[in-house]
Structures are given as structure tokens and as C-alpha cells.
Amino acid sequence: MAIKLLTITRFPEFRAFMSSLIESIETLLVDLPTIRPHKLSMTTMACQTMVIVRMRHSDGIEGLGEGTTIGGLSYGPESPESIKRNIDTYLVPLLIGQPSGNVNALRARLNRHARGNSIAKSALETALLDAQGKRLGLPVAELLGGARHDHLSVLWTLASGDTTKDIDEAFQRLDDRRHCDFKLKIGANAVDTDVRHVAAIKEALGDRASVRVDVNQAWDESTAVRGIQALQDAGIELIEQAIPAREHAGLIRLANRFHVPMLADEAVQDARDGFDLAAGGFSGAFALKIAKSGGLHGVLELAHVAQAAGIGLYGGTLLEGTIGTAASLHAWATLPEMIWGTEMFGPLLLRDDIVTEPLNYRDFGVDLPRGPGLGITLDEDKLAHYSRKP
């Protein structure tokens, strides 16, 4: 009996997948105002600037990506302007004319020729995955192995800096069933002032909500010992990055000294950082962010290191808009458990959006977007309105 062998080249969708090339990459600076001033230890934000990537391919598919950071250069070494310039000048030439389907090969090419620039690389990888998903008719989560969740919990950051306003805001979010976990940005004030602020909010909310804090690296270790003890006594559930990122040994000491868990954020950029902290005896949780790990594949590598070491996971954000938030959600949805939830509230902090259908926030969380790729469609009029003019 003759047996016919079927090959993927007999199917037009796979032929297009194999032959598609990257034709052009456009980057846009998009400025969106926030609903209120957002106060952190290093800056106060009234506007968020996103770098939107539009990657066009020879098969007519367009992939979308986003690179976003916080407060220009006040947070880290990449600013929106440098992200755009470095993509346009250095990274685009590495990708134009390359086959678009092999994301691993393109990631390796970028990493071989360009150091750092993790936010820029994340934006480009997101656009590649969005295009690949659209090409194959699959959500990005399916390209990453498949979604285990279609709804993820989302906390809200209380960052007005005013205790009464923060309490009122928290109760409103609870009543709306929008959020039941809250994070407070501290570190800009004296330790005792910050502790009083946090303790008053926790006392007001009681058992209705959990309260965590993010110090954003503002304390030295001795200050952190005093502050963390007071926060632990006040019933705070999680302490994020109390000391500078490079002080791994100090972070490990703090994690072992207190019952309240420490959350490593800026201290853990990629899988290598995760391994170093785990090997040193760190116990607590890792904040995952696609931007700091160079994209979805890199952040999942870090997540797998944490899982192997018994370290908890938390889905973090650099206050991305809908495109970057959707990309993160597709990654988080593939993980078995995120014991500390996520903070993918970035789009809710913005007064407007540049997509046709916003993400669906409900029941203290957000739904995973449906549809091929990221499941996101641009609103061209809104994009044109908020894009920064040359």
C-alpha cells in the first residue's frame, strides 16, 4: 500500500509562515495623560510615554509592540526617546529582510549585536509574536505553550501621596469589584512618615484587602531593618525592593530576617540574576516584567528558575499601556500559579487609550485578550492624536 507523506509546504498558510520577511519597522512616541499624579520615590508622573512599534511583514501582516518605562530616565537607563532612537538606528537594521517566523533566531541576533536595551528588545519581540500569532490564527499564549488561565487577578497602586485620598480610592475600587489588593509607593519621605501613612491605610481597610509596599530602592539596609519591622508590625503582606538593586547580599539578609516576604524587582532582571539570588538563599518572590527581561521568552526563563527554587511569582509592570499589558498577560497566563497576583493596571491609570477595545477589567482582575496574536487592534485616530509630532 502506497503511503503519501504530507509536508507543511502543501499548505499555503505554512508556506507564507516560512517565507515571510520583515519589511519595515515604524516607532512612535505616544504621550497619554494619567488620571491623577502618580507619586513614586524617584519621580511623580502626570503622563506616560509609550514607544509603539508597528512591524510590517511581506505577507501583509502587521505586528504590534510596546516599550515603556517610568519617568524618563529617573527609573532606569532607558528613556522613551532612547528606546525609539536605538530601535530605529541600531536594531531595525538587524531585522529588516530577515525571516519573521523564527523568533528565537531573531532574539539571538539582537542579543549578539546589541548589549542591554531590554525594553527596546521586548517591544520588538512582542511585535514578532503578535505577527506570528496573527499569521497562524493563534493567541500569543498558544505560541508560548498554551494558557492555563483566562482571568488574572490585578492589584491597584495607591500613589496619590495623600492618606485620606488613598483610603477613599481603595474603598471605591473595592466597592466597584475592581481591586482587592493594594500596593503603596513609599520611600520619598522619612521612614516614620511613610510607615504612618501605610499603617493608617491598612488599619482603615482591615481584612477587606491586602496591602503591600514598594520602596523603589530608596532605603539603605539599616533603614530598611527599621522600616520593615514597623511595616511587618502593621500587617503589611509584602515588601518590594527596599534597598538598591545591586545589593543582593543585603536583600537576602532582609528576606531571612523578617517573616514578611521580600519581593525582588530591580534586583532580578533575568534568569541569571534569579539563579544568583536563589543560590544565595533568597526566600520571597520575584517580580516578573517583560521589559526588564528583554521580552516574553526571557521573562518566562526567569519564572522557571523561580519555580525550580520554590520562589513565588508576581506579575509586574512598568505601567505599560494596553499593548504591553496584553503581552504580559499572555506570558503570565501560561504559568501554573502566580501566588502574589499581578499589577497589570497600567491602562487604568491612563485617561484614554489607543486601541479599539480596551482590556476587560472585572471581578478584581482582568480577562486574557482573545483573538489571534495579542488580540489588540489600534484605534488609528487616537494613535494619531496622541503621537508626538516630530
Side-chain angles (χ1 to χ4, degrees):
M1 180 177 65
I3 299 177
K4 293 183 179 180
L5 297 177
L6 298 179
T7 64
I8 63 172
T9 55
R10 293 185 59 187
F11 299 92
E13 64 269 28
F14 284 107
R15 287 201 300 271
F17 169 73
M18 294 176 66
S19 61
S20 177
L21 304 178
I22 301 172
E23 283 193 336
S24 68
I25 300 174
E26 179 186 13
T27 58
L28 301 166
L29 290 172
V30 178
D31 299 308
L32 287 173
T34 59
I35 59 174
R36 55 150 168 79
H38 192 70
K39 187 174 182 180
L40 302 94
S41 68
M42 79 292 291
T43 189
T44 298
M45 296 172 51
C47 174
Q48 179 60 300
T49 299
M50 305 174 292
V51 182
I52 302 300
V53 171
R54 307 187 74 167
M55 182 184 291
R56 298 176 178 91
H57 304 258
S58 60
D59 57 1
I61 299 291
E62 179 181 72
L64 302 176
E66 178 188 336
T68 298
T69 184
I70 298 172
L73 283 173
S74 64
Y75 177 79
E78 291 179 84
S79 70
E81 294 78 13
S82 72
I83 293 167
K84 174 177 168 55
R85 178 59 63 88
N86 288 342
I87 289 176
D88 293 347
T89 305
Y90 296 103
L91 304 185
V92 166
L94 296 172
L95 297 179
I96 295 298
Q98 296 295 314
S100 58
N102 192 334
V103 178
N104 284 337
L106 294 172
R107 287 180 65 226
R109 181 175 175 83
L110 290 175
N111 289 331
R112 184 167 62 251
H113 294 285
R115 303 289 183 185
N117 289 276
S118 62
I119 301 175
K121 290 174 180 176
S122 175
L124 291 168
E125 184 187 335
T126 297
L128 286 166
L129 288 169
D130 183 42
Q132 191 170 344
K134 290 172 178 173
R135 188 175 293 121
L136 298 176
L138 297 172
V140 166
E142 295 300 310
L143 303 181
L144 301 174
R148 300 189 185 197
H149 318 279
D150 58 12
H151 185 80
L152 294 100
S153 64
V154 177
L155 63 69
W156 178 253
T157 294
L158 301 169
S160 74
D162 182 282
T163 303
T164 301
K165 287 182 179 178
D166 282 351
I167 291 172
D168 291 342
E169 190 173 292
F171 277 120
Q172 186 63 57
R173 295 297 186 275
L174 284 166
D175 292 343
D176 293 342
R177 294 185 58 81
R178 183 62 64 84
H179 307 281
C180 61
D181 301 306
F182 298 96
K183 184 166 80 172
L184 292 159
K185 294 285 189 178
I186 62 173
N189 304 309
V191 175
D192 292 342
T193 301
D194 276 341
V195 169
R196 284 195 299 271
H197 172 65
V198 173
I201 293 171
K202 176 57 183 173
E203 183 178 10
L205 295 176
D207 294 333
R208 288 194 64 185
S210 71
V211 176
R212 303 100 178 263
V213 299
D214 183 1
V215 191
N216 280 131
Q217 310 180 71
W219 294 341
D220 58 29
E221 189 173 346
S222 61
T223 303
V225 168
R226 184 163 65 91
I228 292 171
Q229 182 63 64
L231 292 167
Q232 180 174 278
D233 293 343
I236 303 310
E237 288 195 349
L238 190 69
I239 312 290
E240 182 174 350
Q241 203 63 56
I243 61 176
R246 294 184 180 222
E247 297 179 13
H248 280 196
L251 189 60
I252 293 168
R253 285 191 292 270
L254 292 173
N256 292 332
R257 178 167 184 155
F258 295 99
H259 297 300
V260 59
M262 300 296 115
L263 176 63
D265 181 10
E266 291 85 2
V268 59
Q269 302 287 321
D270 53 25
R272 180 172 296 180
D273 286 335
F275 177 81
D276 289 344
L277 278 172
F282 177 79
S283 62
F286 287 167
L288 307 177
K289 294 178 181 176
I290 63 171
K292 69 179 181 179
S293 296
L296 285 75
H297 285 92
V299 82
L300 291 177
E301 291 169 2
L302 171 58
H304 297 152
V305 169
Q307 289 174 301
I311 292 171
L313 299 178
Y314 175 71
T317 181
L318 281 184
L319 300 179
E320 290 94 349
T322 297
I323 295 171
T325 299
S328 299
L329 293 173
H330 280 282
W332 309 160
T334 69
L335 296 169
E337 182 182 20
M338 304 200 80
I339 190 170
W340 292 104
T342 83
E343 60 177 33
M344 309 314 300
F345 66 88
L348 298 177
L349 189 62
L350 305 176
R351 287 190 182 276
D352 207 347
D353 211 332
I354 57 169
V355 302
T356 57
E357 293 187 22
L359 297 174
N360 186 30
Y361 288 89
R362 62 176 181 86
D363 297 329
F364 306 116
V366 63
D367 292 336
L368 182 68
R370 298 181 180 273
L374 295 173
I376 299 298
T377 302
L378 287 173
D379 183 318
E380 298 291 349
D381 291 336
K382 291 284 186 71
L383 180 66
H385 177 73
Y386 288 108
S387 291
R388 191 179 298 179
K389 304 303 182 287

